[in-house]
Amino acid sequence: MADTAGAVRPSRRVVITGLGAVSPVGIGADVFAAAVRAGVNGTAPIESFDASAFPRRKAGEVLDFEPADHLKRLDPPRWGRSGLLAAAAARLAVADAGIDEEQLDTARAGAVMGTTSGESAVVQALAEQWIEGGLASIDGELAGQTPASRIANAVSAELRLTGETQTIPTACSASNYALGYAYDLVRSGEAEVMLAGGADAVNRYTHAGFYALGAMAEDVPRPFAADRSGIVTGEGGAVLVLEAYEHAVARGARMYAEILGYAANCDAAHMVHPDATSIAAGIRAAHEAAGVEPAQIDYICAHGTGTPTNDSTEVAAAREVFGNRIPPISSIKSMLGHTMGAASGFGAIACCKAFEQDFLPPTANVTEPDPALGEGVDCVPGVGREARLDIVQNHGFAFGGNNVITILGRVS
């Protein structure tokens, strides 16, 4: 690539060497992958707040998460839940990568984290204080935990990262934005290692918002199913370690996948209604950036929210690019719920484990795929299926029409 002055910048291969998952179906990448492969349902009645007034009362919560079990430096009461989920996932990812803190320091490592609602559980707690006791009752220390920037800050503080630290708040495509930005930093030589992903927490106001939109499922999420009825909100932290290929080789690191390229665009049309033509253009741009053809894509990790509009639009966009040969396309939101800013981070982790273990992640809870989606749509219903994958694409779409597609390949 060339800059505005015409000078050629270095471009290096970027690989994924570590995975950290704090999810509704388990903590740790191996536990997460086993649950995804088995089609485990991680949604259940909400426990983190009183949801009795809502007609829809389920979410994908991380019920067994104890921050102190995973963190070495952060004092949990001083940080919001989203930051703690991110920091714990980052600690797990670094351990999985087998890289120590001195190596992170010399590699100029930093953190780029995506989010939808920031420290939403903190905002919820502050709102409850205000309603109960008035403005004067608000806890000032708790108020200091509200900035979304603290999500990436939590990762860097926990691991003493001195490189670029940034939170990207582009809603439900934010982890893919984070992966793309971190990829650029490593590819250009600005860093040898970056941590990227996303985090969000289940909370009342996000739940209420999706319910008010009429986008919430009656019981469980069923992406691509004939009887799908919407999303179930979820939470978690998903972090991946991105590393320059030469740096990974020099330290003998395991490499799950190579990031071949990505593309981002915006529909610029409607706040909540996705646009198939714009998404298709984004897919084509991602293929061009990665140097691949549609026929080389073995699997699509879909945005797949389970709303009637999203799933039909996503399939229509895929059909514009792939014609009648749409690769297997599945949604792990069927198991996790919609983990908001962490969603495409979890998608990337699922793709990495699919390379490692040779399987297609499934769409759980589906007994009858929607025939209205047309012929040739394989949503891998039920449980995972054995398959050799070489190149996959990971979708992230968000309100406002923000679309990001990342392309991952088996390391060769």
Side-chain angles (χ1 to χ4, degrees):
M1 112 182 128
D3 63 16
T4 54
V8 177
R9 298 175 181 173
S11 182
R12 306 186 298 173
R13 295 176 67 185
V14 180
V15 294
I16 296 169
T17 57
L19 308 173
V22 180
S23 85
V25 296
I27 295 176
D30 287 334
V31 174
F32 170 82
V36 165
R37 190 167 187 170
V40 170
N41 178 20
T43 64
I46 293 169
E47 296 187 17
S48 61
F49 66 89
D50 180 6
S52 60
F54 289 97
R56 312 281 164 84
R57 306 185 185 100
K58 288 187 175 181
E61 295 177 296
V62 189
L63 298 176
D64 54 349
F65 177 54
E66 293 292 341
D69 292 344
H70 304 280
L71 302 174
K72 297 179 180 179
R73 293 198 176 92
L74 298 188
D75 179 14
R78 299 178 66 86
W79 294 84
R81 183 170 175 84
S82 297
L84 293 171
L85 289 165
R91 176 65 74 182
L92 289 168
V94 167
D96 186 56
I99 188 168
D100 61 35
E101 291 185 17
E102 286 188 6
Q103 288 176 303
L104 290 173
D105 186 44
T106 59
R108 294 162 289 164
V112 185
M113 300 299 297
T115 190
T116 291
S117 301
E119 286 295 1
S120 50
V122 173
V123 173
Q124 175 184 311
L126 290 169
E128 290 169 353
Q129 288 180 357
W130 193 342
I131 290 169
E132 184 175 342
L135 183 60
S137 71
I138 284 180
D139 180 344
E141 186 170 327
L142 185 63
Q145 296 177 13
T146 57
S149 59
R150 284 174 60 88
I151 296 174
N153 291 349
V155 172
S156 289
E158 172 64 21
L159 295 165
R160 290 182 177 167
L161 306 181
T162 58
E164 183 162 353
T165 298
Q166 184 171 158
T167 301
I168 298 180
T170 44
C172 303
S173 59
S175 279
N176 259 359
Y177 270 102
L179 286 167
Y181 185 55
Y183 163 74
D184 283 340
L185 291 174
V186 176
R187 181 176 59 158
S188 67
E190 293 181 57
E192 296 292 331
V193 176
M194 288 295 297
L195 276 66
D200 267 297
V202 163
N203 63 93
R204 183 188 300 276
Y205 89 81
T206 299
H207 189 85
F210 278 97
Y211 176 74
L213 282 171
M216 194 158 282
E218 294 175 6
D219 48 8
V220 295
R222 295 186 179 89
F224 307 114
D227 59 347
R228 68 190 185 275
S229 59
I231 76 159
V232 171
T233 56
E235 68 178 0
V239 174
L240 299 91
V241 177
L242 278 59
E243 192 167 350
Y245 174 79
E246 295 80 3
H247 190 271
V249 169
R251 68 179 189 86
R254 169 189 52 198
M255 299 180 227
Y256 286 105
E258 179 174 358
I259 300 182
L260 302 178
Y262 77 100
N265 70 0
C266 184
D267 299 344
H270 194 281
M271 189 63 195
V272 298
H273 195 297
D275 181 80
T277 299
S278 178
I279 292 170
I283 295 171
R284 291 190 185 98
H287 290 177
E288 182 178 359
V292 302
E293 299 292 332
Q296 294 176 271
I297 304 297
D298 298 314
Y299 166 65
I300 298 171
C301 190
H303 188 60
T305 61
T307 65
T309 298
N310 176 91
D311 297 359
S312 60
T313 303
E314 189 163 11
V315 169
R319 205 175 289 283
E320 281 193 38
V321 176
F322 294 96
N324 292 326
R325 184 231 160 242
I326 298 176
I329 177 170
S330 71
S331 173
I332 63 172
K333 290 183 180 68
S334 59
M335 296 164 273
L336 310 181
H338 193 338
T339 55
M340 306 295 156
S344 49
F346 281 125
I349 292 173
C351 289
C352 287
K353 282 297 187 180
F355 283 129
E356 181 190 50
Q357 299 177 11
D358 292 326
F359 76 98
L360 286 167
T363 308
N365 309 318
V366 176
T367 55
E368 182 188 355
D370 187 357
L373 297 175
E375 295 292 327
V377 177
D378 175 11
C379 68
V380 196
V383 298
R385 189 167 75 227
E386 289 187 7
R388 161 87 180 194
L389 307 177
D390 290 312
I391 302 176
V392 305
Q393 69 184 50
N394 181 36
H395 288 180
F397 310 144
F399 285 172
N402 290 298
N403 310 312
V404 191
I405 292 91
T406 51
I407 309 295
L408 308 180
R410 185 179 290 270
V411 181
S412 57

